[in-house]
Amino acid sequence: MSTITKDGVSSPAPAKAAPAKPRRGLRGSPTLNFWLFTGPFLIGLAVFVYAPILWSLWLSFFEARFTVTPDKFVGFENYVVMLTDEDFVGSLGTFTVFAAIIVPLTWATSLGLALLVNRLRFMRAFFRSVFFLPTAVSYVAASLIWKMSIFNGVRFGLMNTFLGVFGIDNTAWLASPDPPWYWLVIVTVRLWLQAGFYMILFIAALQNIPQEMYEAAAIDGAKPGWQTFWHITLPQLRATSTAVILLLLVAAYQAFDEFFNLLAKTTWGRPPLMELYYKALGDSQDYGAGSAGALILTVLICLVTLLQGKIMGFGRGEESK
């Protein structure tokens, strides 16, 4: 076909564009791209996570001393040994109490920091970065700073110097379990290390709360402050609070680094992972009993997690009520 211009001259019509051909090769195969990106991760997950878990489960039913390839089947004997071990059972009870202390304390601290930082009108990014910065610090490095500088137990230690101003004598923070001052050291270092991370989660949740809810509450006569926080802010943070408490519970039972560096030469105050470490890699090197203890600890974490989920709800926010 041709078209006639204003000058009366006919010209050919522009040709239609040819339909785009489907891509071929790597970019044209979504399935292949998926496996190329996720394949290495899945292989690493299978080799370094799931395979050791299955191997540990298999070892727990065998007598495995100084070897990871045993041949003597003992059934549930290793589980009986660990459940009758006073040190291991005591560590489970002690750290249930520890979790009951550190979890609400970290939750309240991180939420309080999030509320303060979120209300700032200037330098918000600066304070958010300052509080989040300890998250990047190694647990080992922080534990050594707490042990050698802040709570070192000598006269010129930072904490003893501060208490000396009020006439309080020097305190050996990590010397003995009676009184258990070592808990103050452990709780403060863990609180300092992890509060900033959960603060970021709460800030993200606070920024997702519609401002119209606060405006409507103000019109209805709600007073700003505690009343608004209790009836609007806190219910809207239910899903985030559930996730935070879940992560804190798991982290509490998996505590190892700070305890190993602060209480390495003691026989008290050990978390379950330290007991399993000395059981499997100590003088006896009983991998069977150590594997059984690891599975017992896993079951305990699952039970505590399910209980927490029953009380608060897994991922259930205010909108699902």
Side-chain angles (χ1 to χ4, degrees), residues 11-299:
S11 60
K16 294 182 179 180
K21 297 181 179 180
R23 291 182 177 179
R24 296 180 179 179
L26 296 179
R27 294 188 299 172
S29 178
T31 303
L32 181 59
N33 292 335
F34 171 80
W35 288 110
L36 285 176
F37 280 101
T38 62
F41 170 76
L42 294 177
I43 293 174
L45 190 66
V47 173
F48 297 105
V49 177
Y50 293 115
I53 291 175
L54 295 176
W55 190 265
S56 178
L57 177 62
W58 184 74
L59 282 178
S60 66
F61 295 103
F62 288 83
E63 182 180 347
R65 293 180 181 270
F66 303 98
T67 180
V68 293
T69 57
D71 55 2
K72 183 179 179 181
F73 181 78
V74 295
F76 291 94
E77 182 179 340
N78 289 324
Y79 292 91
V80 175
V81 170
M82 294 305 298
L83 290 175
T84 55
D85 188 338
E86 295 182 359
D87 294 333
F88 179 70
V89 175
S91 68
L92 293 177
T94 301
F95 275 81
T96 300
V97 177
F98 170 69
I101 296 173
I102 192 62
V103 170
L105 182 61
T106 305
W107 177 85
T109 303
S110 57
L111 178 58
L113 292 175
L115 292 171
L116 292 175
V117 173
N118 193 57
R119 292 178 63 87
L120 292 177
R121 297 184 180 275
F122 62 95
M123 298 182 67
R124 179 185 299 180
F126 170 77
F127 286 103
R128 186 170 59 229
S129 301
V130 168
F131 291 127
F132 181 76
L133 190 60
T135 306
V137 179
S138 167
Y139 273 69
V140 176
S143 300
L144 293 178
I145 293 174
W146 252 247
K147 181 179 181 179
M148 302 176 64
S149 178
I150 302 178
F151 295 95
N152 55 11
V154 299
R155 178 182 177 185
F156 299 102
L158 182 60
M159 183 56 64
N160 282 336
T161 301
F162 173 76
L163 295 178
V165 176
F166 302 95
I168 302 176
D169 296 335
N170 292 343
T171 302
W173 302 98
L174 300 171
S176 66
D178 190 20
W181 293 118
Y182 65 93
W183 282 116
L184 178 62
V185 184
I186 292 172
V187 169
T188 52
V189 66
R190 176 163 277 259
L191 182 64
W192 182 76
L193 284 167
Q194 65 184 9
F197 172 76
Y198 299 105
M199 177 200 70
I200 296 297
L201 299 183
F202 278 120
I203 289 178
L206 287 171
Q207 293 176 351
N208 287 329
I209 300 177
Q211 292 299 319
E212 292 79 3
M213 298 185 66
Y214 295 102
E215 295 173 359
I219 294 175
D220 292 339
K223 299 179 180 179
W226 174 254
Q227 190 175 11
T228 303
F229 169 77
W230 183 257
H231 293 285
I232 298 179
T233 304
L234 192 59
Q236 291 297 315
L237 296 178
R238 179 174 180 176
T240 304
S241 296
T242 302
V244 167
I245 293 176
L246 173 62
L247 294 174
L248 286 172
L249 282 171
V250 175
Y253 281 100
Q254 291 180 338
F256 179 82
D257 293 340
E258 65 268 42
F259 291 91
F260 186 80
N261 288 276
L262 292 172
L263 307 173
K265 298 181 180 180
T266 64
T267 57
W268 37 264
R270 290 180 177 178
L273 284 185
M274 276 189 68
E275 294 293 341
L276 296 177
Y277 173 82
Y278 286 111
K279 174 67 71 174
L281 300 177
D283 296 334
S284 62
Q285 291 193 12
D286 193 345
Y287 297 110
S291 299
L295 291 173
I296 292 173
L297 179 61
T298 302
V299 171

